[in-house]
Amino acid sequence: MGKVAVAFAAAAVVAACSVAAVMVRRRVKSRRKWRSVVEILKELEEGCDTPVGRLRQVVDAMAVEMHAGLASEGGSKLKMLLTFVHELPKGTEKGTYYALHLGGTYFRILRVHLGGERSYLDVQDVERHPIPSHLMNSTSEVLFNFLAFSLERFIEKEGDGSSSQGVKRELAFTFSFPVKHSSISSGVLIKWTKGFEISEMVGRDIAECLQVALNTRGLDMHVAALVNDTVGALSLGYYHDPDTVVAVVFGTGSNACYLERTDAIIKSQGLLTTSGSMVVNMEWGNFWSSHLPRTSYDIDLDAESSNSNDMGFEKMIAGMYLGDIVRRVILRMSQESDIFGPSSSLLSEPYVLRTNLVSAMHEDDTPELQEVARILKDLGVSEVPLKVRKLVVKVCDVVTRRVGRLAAAGIAGILKKIGRDGSGGITSGRSRSENQMQRRTVVAVEGGLYMNYTMFREYMEEALVEILGEEVSQYVVVKAMEDGSSIGSALLVASSQ
Ligand code: ADP
Ligand code: MG
């Protein structure tokens, strides 16, 4: 070999070595980055951990807070609001009734016709529309004019076939925000939640606002009841099955109500009802306990929300927030490594990852996780390898599992308070008779998160059995109530006529 050839070969070896060195360095670097992402996941898993012992502490805290909220006004973060609903629909109601439901994301209008027997419940003309976002921080006039206008259009479509032509129409207003009631048909707004901000409405009578808007439009409709969405769901549950004593909503927000004995509502002594009980709207979104597994993502989400330091439980379990917790985790992963490619500014936008997208990714059963890839692409993250897509699914799983398990703990807390968890309840003077322990208890559940997210539902139901034990959980039935909050509110108007 000549000198030139030797020099050439030597240079080639050096070049090959340095290429190899660069590749090794890159591999080491990428492994280190992958490790940092795995660390973030591990930290998330630890932060979201909900072993059954911890869930039981949440159950106890919920039952204790319920008790405190019933004992005195302001005695707990749980407001435990009186609803003045003491009779639930029995199934013998007759007539045609309307419901208008303002939720957190959707508003719905429907008409029900009741024939005097359970099987004669005819739900007619259900309309469901997204609430135009500008209404959420408009004025009360704009909001109620919009609702009255929507009702007017709904009624115009009825034509001559309507059974209630010429008769004043009785309307239930299902309102999914905290209200302090003075009767079943009147009450003032305590505060907004779920991103609504029309401050001038706080303290005003919600039913009256709607009635005035209807009158102004010349609509012959009477706002006969102002109903929390949970109370609507309870009413529909009870109509079909009188063992229904608890209702929970998992939608944009989350809340629960249940049937309480009036003598346990200590803060309203002398409260007399014909049934000896009253539905209590817990407003459980505001529940808080140091036993709740709170992560840095929850803390940041709360700090950046329009209602910080408020609605702590809702922010951990409701549909409005679940997606944003997942987004925050993915964003951090993308900032601390390049596994998602060049960082996407879209991912930094609050609430851009909606919970329906989380469930679509979580439940993606295509072999290559194409749905995950598609959704990530829409978020400005394209061409992520399968390994990273799997990681995203894992994040969805960890967050949703926590939501499901905390939801179950909340429900078990109510069961404990009313002595249906097999433990005889807390200090409410209930007897521990065998009989009471084994009464069948139906929990009516509704809301978009529950109805559409199978994995959430499964985690919740699994945890409920884990908390209550196999034996007691045989007596606890969770029943889905699609559109329960709207239909049930109309039934409530019917039963209060
Ligand atoms: P509202 O809260 O207005 O009464 P819903 O009860 O229908 O309305 O709940 C809507 C919420 O349910 C959405 O904001 C979202 O958080 C959640 N949701 C809707 N569809 C899905 C889905 N496919 N998977 C998971 N969550 C969903
Ligand atoms: Mg709802």
Side-chain angles (χ1 to χ4, degrees), residues 280-411:
V280 172
N281 166 15
M282 292 174 59
E283 285 300 328
W284 88 357
N286 203 33
F287 168 68
W288 191 251
S289 154
S290 58
H291 299 297
L292 289 169
R294 201 177 198 210
T295 65
S296 60
Y297 308 103
D298 300 302
I299 293 169
D300 293 348
L301 183 150
D302 177 58
E304 291 164 31
S305 66
S306 62
N307 55 346
S308 59
N309 284 319
D310 200 26
M311 306 300 279
F313 193 46
E314 177 159 277
K315 285 172 183 161
M316 288 179 101
I317 64 167
M320 176 167 172
Y321 304 102
L322 197 163
D324 207 54
I325 297 172
V326 172
R327 177 192 69 84
R328 284 167 189 277
V329 180
I330 298 177
L331 177 65
R332 183 164 157 221
M333 288 177 163
S334 78
Q335 285 166 342
E336 293 192 16
S337 80
D338 57 2
I339 62 161
F340 289 96
S343 74
S344 147
S345 56
L346 249 185
L347 259 183
S348 322
E349 206 172 290
Y351 302 103
V352 68
L353 179 57
R354 306 191 78 88
T355 301
N356 59 324
L357 300 177
V358 171
S359 72
M361 293 199 287
H362 195 182
E363 296 173 353
D364 183 356
D365 56 5
T366 61
E368 299 285 311
L369 298 177
Q370 281 113 338
E371 189 61 11
V372 177
R374 190 189 62 76
I375 291 167
L376 288 176
K377 192 166 174 216
D378 286 348
L379 294 172
V381 182
S382 44
E383 314 213 352
V384 285
L386 186 57
K387 182 163 104 165
V388 177
R389 283 178 242 163
K390 284 185 179 163
L391 179 81
V392 169
V393 174
K394 182 68 189 164
V395 172
C396 298
D397 185 65
V398 173
V399 175
T400 299
R401 184 168 184 271
R402 183 186 71 159
V403 174
R405 292 175 71 80
L406 293 180
I411 293 173

Side-chain angles (χ1 to χ4, degrees), residues 103-106 108 128 251-252 319-320 355-356 359 447-449 452-453:
T105 305
Y106 299 99
R108 305 159 184 79
R128 177 175 179 267
T252 309
M320 176 167 172
T355 301
N356 59 324
S359 72
L449 182 68
N452 300 306
Y453 197 167

Side-chain angles (χ1 to χ4, degrees), residues 101-106 108 174 176 194 229-230 249-253 446-448 485-486:
H101 175 188
L102 185 69
T105 305
Y106 299 99
R108 305 159 184 79
T174 315
S176 315
K194 298 177 276 199
D229 53 344
T230 58
V249 169
F250 299 106
T252 309
E446 80 117 273
S485 37
S486 321

Side-chain angles (χ1 to χ4, degrees), residues 53-224:
R54 184 170 207 162
L55 292 182
R56 291 219 173 93
Q57 289 174 315
V58 176
V59 171
D60 290 348
M62 181 66 83
V64 167
E65 289 299 318
M66 289 172 76
H67 203 263
L70 291 173
S72 63
E73 207 66 65
S76 162
K77 273 179 167 289
L78 290 183
K79 287 212 173 324
M80 306 300 284
L81 300 168
L82 303 185
T83 60
F84 295 88
V85 173
H86 44 89
E87 298 281 355
L88 289 164
K90 293 181 183 63
T92 51
E93 294 75 11
K94 281 185 185 169
T96 299
Y97 301 89
Y98 296 78
L100 165 70
H101 175 188
L102 185 69
T105 305
Y106 299 99
F107 74 96
R108 305 159 184 79
I109 305 174
L110 55 77
R111 182 177 63 235
V112 300
H113 184 70
L114 307 169
E117 278 177 50
R118 273 202 184 99
S119 52
Y120 286 90
L121 166 61
D122 184 11
V123 182
Q124 306 166 333
D125 289 352
V126 187
E127 270 191 20
R128 177 175 179 267
H129 307 283
I131 300 166
S133 56
H134 72 271
L135 292 181
M136 294 169 65
N137 42 23
S138 59
T139 62
S140 70
E141 204 186 337
V142 170
L143 176 66
F144 283 98
N145 268 342
F146 173 82
L147 295 175
F149 170 70
S150 305
L151 269 169
E152 186 177 29
R153 268 194 325 196
F154 181 88
I155 284 163
E156 273 166 12
K157 281 198 301 191
E158 283 183 336
D160 295 334
S162 162
S163 53
S164 53
Q165 281 277 310
V167 181
K168 197 176 191 94
R169 293 171 171 89
E170 296 294 323
L171 174 72
F173 186 17
T174 315
F175 187 70
S176 315
F177 302 90
V179 164
K180 188 169 173 55
H181 277 265
S182 43
S183 73
I184 188 173
S185 58
S186 61
V188 298
L189 176 66
I190 296 174
K191 64 180 177 187
W192 285 111
T193 56
K194 298 177 276 199
F196 274 72
E197 286 179 273
I198 311 174
S199 56
E200 34 127 350
M201 271 182 68
V202 173
R204 288 177 64 185
D205 189 316
I206 298 302
E208 195 181 298
C209 286
L210 180 62
Q211 188 66 66
V212 168
L214 295 174
N215 295 349
T216 308
R217 283 212 160 255
L219 278 178
D220 201 12
M221 280 193 124
H222 171 231
V223 184

